[in-house]
């Protein structure tokens, strides 16, 4: 239980807490340090309150049993490898999120679909690498995807559909190929 006077959870605060199964971060918490819950192998559910502004690097990295996450509506960014190597089956990214760091959802082997809302402007390299059960991705109108030629959907053998908003002026999907309009680069083929 996190008390009402706590406003920040520092780096590595609960790192490697093997008995931790559930965490609710209350609305009074405004900041999370890097990797505060990393390698909490038995963590299954996490609720991030409406006070948190950014999910930092490696926040839930290697929480191999984490299946259920609720992200508060105040979050504006998701850091590098924030949920990497978790067992999420789905994730709802709030409408205020404007950037997502590299490998944020990499190796989430149970993730089946993901939707990046129109608010997302930057999607980092390898954001969904190794999501072997992923079948569909939706990308909003403002998103720029970094390194689409190498790492956007690497090792996603079940990916059948990448849906990009028709208002996105940076990327398009043509005949199952993700294409960067600015650099004229072909990306993921599915």
């Amino acid at each position: 239980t996190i008390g009402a006077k706590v406003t920040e959870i520092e780096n590595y605060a609960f790192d490697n807490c093997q008995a931790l199964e559930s965490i609710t971060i209350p609305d009074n918490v405004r900041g999370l340090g890097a990797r505060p819950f990393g390698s909490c192998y038995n963590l299954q559910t996490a609720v991030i309150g409406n006070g948190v502004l950014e999910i930092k690097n490696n926040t839930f990295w290697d929480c191999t049993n984490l299946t259920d996450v609720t992200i508060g509506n105040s979050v504006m960014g998701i850091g590098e490898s924030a949920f990497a190597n978790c067992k999420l089956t789905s994730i709802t990214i709030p409408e205020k999120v404007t950037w997502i760091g590299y490998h944020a959802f990499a190796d989430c082997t149970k993730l089946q679909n993901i939707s990046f809302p129109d608010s997302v402007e930057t999607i980092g390299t390898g954001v969904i690498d190794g999501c072997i059960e992923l079948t569909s991705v939706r990308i909003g109108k403002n998103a720029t995807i970094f390194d689409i030629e190498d790492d956007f959907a690497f090792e996603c053998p079940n990916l059948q559909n990448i849906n990009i908003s028709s208002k996105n002026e940076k990327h398009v999907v043509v005949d199952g190929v993700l294409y960067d309009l600015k650099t004229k680069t072909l990306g993921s083929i599915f």
Side-chain angles (χ1 to χ4, degrees):
T1 301
I2 297 173
K5 293 184 179 181
V6 175
T7 59
E8 183 150 352
I9 299 173
E10 292 289 337
N11 300 348
Y12 302 95
F14 298 96
D15 188 61
N16 207 25
C17 288
Q18 298 304 307
L20 186 62
E21 294 178 359
S22 169
I23 185 71
T24 298
I25 301 168
D27 293 348
N28 49 282
V29 175
R30 308 287 291 164
L32 296 174
R35 197 180 160 148
F37 303 101
S39 298
C40 291
Y41 300 120
N42 288 309
L43 185 64
Q44 297 169 26
T45 61
V47 176
I48 301 168
N50 287 318
V52 175
L53 302 176
E54 178 183 337
I55 299 172
K56 297 236 175 136
N57 298 351
N58 303 303
T59 297
F60 294 101
W61 177 79
D62 207 25
C63 291
T64 55
N65 285 305
L66 183 61
T67 58
D68 185 29
V69 171
T70 302
I71 300 174
N73 292 327
S74 59
V75 171
M76 295 184 287
I78 298 175
E80 301 167 4
S81 300
F83 296 98
N85 202 27
C86 293
K87 294 290 185 278
L88 301 176
T89 55
S90 66
I91 187 81
T92 300
I93 299 170
E95 289 292 332
K96 285 187 177 178
V97 172
T98 59
W99 60 271
I100 299 176
Y102 74 84
H103 294 123
F105 300 100
D107 297 316
C108 287
T109 58
K110 299 295 181 187
L111 189 63
Q112 296 175 4
N113 60 64
I114 191 166
S115 179
F116 300 103
D118 288 339
S119 61
V120 174
E121 297 172 3
T122 304
I123 298 174
T125 301
V127 72
I128 55 172
D129 282 0
C131 293
I132 59 175
E133 291 190 20
L134 190 68
T135 59
S136 68
V137 176
R138 184 211 174 265
I139 299 167
K141 66 181 181 180
N142 296 313
T144 297
I145 304 166
F146 287 91
D147 294 330
I148 66 167
E149 71 276 7
D150 292 326
D151 283 335
F152 177 68
F154 184 69
E155 294 184 357
C156 295
N158 292 309
L159 185 59
Q160 300 169 7
N161 182 31
I162 297 178
N163 179 359
I164 297 180
S165 169
S166 61
K167 295 179 181 177
N168 188 307
E169 296 177 0
K170 298 164 190 103
H171 308 287
V172 67
V173 172
V174 178
D175 294 330
V177 178
L178 181 60
Y179 185 71
D180 186 312
L181 296 170
K182 182 178 179 183
T183 64
K184 309 273 191 255
T185 305
L186 295 177
S188 303
I189 300 172
F190 55 97

